[in-house]
Amino acid sequence: MMRSHTLLLAFGVLAAGAAGISSAAAPAALPEIRVADAFDTPTSMPGHRSRNTATDGILMHVVESLVALRDDLSVGPMLADSWKTSPDGKKYEFKLRSGVTFHNGAPLTAADVQWSLNRILDPKSESYCRNQYDGSKGARVVSVKTPAPDVVTIELAQPYALFLEQMGNIQCPLAILHPSSVDAQGKWLKPVGTGPYVFNEWRKGQYVSLTRYPAYLPRKEAPSGLAGAKNANANLRFVVIPDASSQKAAFMSGQVDLIVADGENPPPRGPGWSIVVEQDLDMNTLLMQTRDPVLSKPEFRRAVALALDLPALARTLTNGDSGYSPSLVPTMSPYYSKVHALGYTRNLAEAGKLLAAAGYRGEVIKIQANKRYPEIYRLAVVTQNMLSKAGIKAEVEVLEWATQVTNFREGKFQMMAFSYSGRIEPAIMYGDVLGDKEKTPMSQWTNPEASKILADIKGVADPARRKAAFEEIHKRMIADV
């Protein structure tokens, strides 16, 4: 199921952005957009092991990569003007833009790119993203060379079709930093990047402020996603307000300018703000633990699927703003096809037969959820109600979010309402879901044939072959439920 987000924006802020601010204006004269964030960032280091979505969302304004993702998730240039790939798909050569400077005024060079990537690969940096570049999950980088001050070459051990996409991924980008981001002993100070904003001040538990970088050099292409021209028309302040009701009160009183609203309890419509509904790549899901004695039986899992009116469930949870999707391939993906619409249709009579075949005797199934994310809790409650009408006894077990995440990682649940943040490509999403549960308990689906299909396209860039592979994987997932 795809998640929809409701954004509320104050008109005053939009007017300030629309009016435009001259690049010659002093930063102090700029207006400030105040964004409510439910979580503080645990670090100012891109890709650090303690990063979270707040960190990613803040630092995407501060740091840039060689490439960036457009609206349609295609790859566009950013710090690199162009690149070429060797015939064997292992070597990438990037030509850097001229005139780009870091926030300390130093010019961007190939040596900075080399330093940034080597730092990610260094175990001492504690980078959460190291597994995307050391071969653990993504490409395996074997060398980074600088044949010229404005040319950098990166060589991989094997071809990896998603290498460029990974560079531009918000979660684990190849963030190009200046070495002055650390002190003489290598200890982290703060990000010195090339983006339109400077990391200005961080008061833990309160806010992070970003100020416009006056010397930022926008690209000439039209804006698209994180690619193309970027212009900072206001300073930014990310204000930590954990409680949704407090966020709404702060918004309505004018203390903040933008919130992601709770779809069940949004602020009333008013003349001072607008409501924007957008669909993102996040997915709300129902997980079933196949190592559980009851849920290990395919007949029981299919009975659960047929007991749920999934389209109605999706509409209910998003106030009609999002539909049911049975596939891990997003509906806006170029790889989506009618095959990915193959899912489940509610059939209580058939569900009853399958429960009998599974030997179900009324055991209580616990659905883990939390109230930190209201949509997850509501997903569990509505599921419980629908299952009861098929004769399946279920209880919602409300946990602290940290406990639920631990249980997810360790596979300690029967059923779970859970949310996956968006992945930039279906192969990454399937890679996080597929796996051997004995080795990786947080893997949700063990199917060696599906894993082999995914592994076989690791170095394949041909869209037709990738699309066919994703279709086959989806059909197998629906069969296994």
Side-chain angles (χ1 to χ4, degrees):
M1 277 169 283
M2 301 305 296
R3 172 192 293 172
S4 65
H5 280 159
T6 303
L7 302 180
L8 288 100
L9 305 96
F11 282 148
V13 171
L14 295 182
I21 304 297
S22 168
S23 61
L30 291 178
E32 182 179 70
I33 297 176
R34 298 154 299 176
V35 183
D37 208 326
F39 311 100
D40 190 16
T41 174
T43 178
S44 65
M45 189 187 308
H48 190 255
R49 63 180 174 84
S50 58
R51 54 152 287 280
N52 60 15
T53 54
T55 312
D56 300 338
I58 292 170
L59 294 181
M60 63 183 277
H61 300 282
V62 178
V63 299
E64 296 175 316
S65 187
L66 296 174
V67 298
L69 297 179
R70 301 188 181 101
D71 283 336
D72 61 0
L73 298 183
S74 64
V75 177
M78 184 45 65
L79 295 181
D81 264 337
S82 62
W83 57 88
K84 54 186 178 181
T85 310
S86 62
D88 62 3
K90 296 181 182 180
K91 190 174 182 179
Y92 293 77
E93 181 178 286
F94 298 90
K95 179 73 163 59
L96 302 184
R97 293 175 64 196
S98 62
V100 176
T101 60
F102 288 98
H103 297 155
N104 61 1
L108 169 70
T109 68
D112 300 310
V113 178
Q114 183 184 51
W115 181 86
S116 299
L117 182 48
N118 283 339
R119 191 176 189 284
I120 292 174
L121 291 169
D122 185 355
K124 295 179 182 177
S125 72
E126 298 185 290
S127 175
Y128 167 86
C129 300
R130 184 160 60 97
N131 58 18
Q132 299 292 341
Y133 301 99
D134 69 357
S136 300
K137 291 181 67 175
R140 181 173 168 238
V141 175
V142 294
S143 74
V144 188
K145 297 180 180 179
T146 57
D150 62 347
V151 176
V152 60
T153 61
I154 302 175
E155 187 173 357
L156 310 181
Q158 295 89 26
Y160 185 65
L162 300 181
F163 183 54
L164 294 174
E165 283 86 349
Q166 183 55 62
M167 279 187 176
N169 188 3
I170 293 176
Q171 292 175 323
C172 278
L174 173 51
I176 307 305
L177 296 162
H178 191 267
S180 64
S181 300
V182 301
D183 64 16
Q185 287 72 44
K187 183 180 178 181
W188 179 255
L189 297 174
K190 73 172 188 177
V192 180
T194 60
Y197 285 96
V198 177
F199 194 91
N200 179 46
E201 184 182 16
W202 174 23
R203 292 197 177 183
K204 292 187 178 181
Q206 298 182 48
Y207 65 83
V208 173
S209 73
L210 308 181
T211 55
R212 183 177 71 91
Y213 178 45
Y216 181 72
L217 184 65
R219 292 200 63 89
K220 295 180 180 180
E221 301 90 353
S224 179
L226 294 180
K230 292 186 267 187
N231 291 287
N233 291 328
N235 294 324
L236 297 176
R237 182 180 296 259
F238 295 86
V239 184
V240 180
I241 307 177
D243 180 66
S245 297
S246 298
Q247 283 195 22
K248 183 171 76 169
F251 178 79
M252 295 179 67
S253 65
Q255 296 177 55
V256 296
D257 305 302
L258 187 149
I259 63 173
V260 179
D262 179 2
E264 286 291 297
N265 187 28
R269 295 186 179 275
W273 55 78
S274 63
I275 299 174
V276 179
V277 178
E278 59 138 24
Q279 191 165 79
D280 59 22
L281 296 175
D282 294 358
M283 294 189 182
N284 289 324
T285 63
L286 285 166
L287 309 180
M288 295 187 283
Q289 180 52 260
T290 57
R291 294 192 296 180
D292 177 80
V294 178
L295 286 137
S296 65
K297 300 175 181 178
E299 297 87 352
F300 184 84
R301 298 198 301 272
R302 183 163 290 274
V304 169
L306 298 182
L308 301 176
D309 186 342
L310 293 162
L313 184 61
R315 290 193 302 270
T316 299
L317 295 177
T318 64
N319 292 320
D321 291 323
S322 185
Y324 162 58
S325 174
S327 176
L328 295 184
V329 176
T331 54
M332 66 281 288
S333 168
Y335 295 113
Y336 187 86
S337 71
K338 63 181 181 180
V339 171
H340 295 283
L342 174 66
Y344 309 99
T345 301
R346 192 181 198 192
N347 188 328
L348 295 181
E350 183 63 22
K353 294 177 183 177
L354 288 166
L355 290 174
Y360 177 65
R361 294 181 174 82
E363 297 93 332
V364 175
I365 304 300
K366 292 191 175 182
I367 307 172
Q368 293 186 12
N370 70 87
K371 290 190 175 181
R372 186 172 188 173
Y373 297 100
E375 69 273 16
I376 290 181
Y377 174 70
R378 293 197 298 269
L379 175 58
V381 171
V382 177
T383 296
Q384 176 194 30
N385 180 266
M386 289 183 174
L387 291 179
S388 69
K389 294 176 181 174
I392 299 174
K393 295 181 180 179
E395 293 179 357
V396 176
E397 184 180 12
V398 180
L399 305 172
E400 292 294 325
W401 173 238
T403 303
Q404 185 179 353
V405 170
T406 298
N407 288 352
F408 165 77
R409 290 173 175 168
E410 297 177 359
K412 295 180 179 178
F413 60 88
Q414 286 184 294
M415 288 186 66
M416 179 181 285
F418 195 74
S419 180
Y420 284 87
S421 56
R423 281 17 178 208
I424 57 173
E425 219 264 359
I428 299 176
M429 186 73 232
Y430 281 122
D432 285 343
V433 171
L434 270 166
D436 185 347
K437 294 188 180 190
E438 298 303 320
K439 297 178 180 178
T440 311
M442 66 186 289
S443 296
Q444 301 305 314
W445 181 32
T446 301
N447 184 307
E449 294 82 9
S451 292
K452 184 178 186 305
I453 294 171
L454 188 62
D456 286 346
I457 62 168
K458 187 174 183 180
V460 175
D462 178 27
R465 289 182 58 186
R466 297 184 72 81
K467 185 174 184 177
F470 296 141
E471 289 178 344
E472 184 59 32
I473 292 173
H474 175 68
K475 288 187 285 187
R476 290 173 183 270
M477 174 173 273
I478 292 300
D480 281 0
V481 65

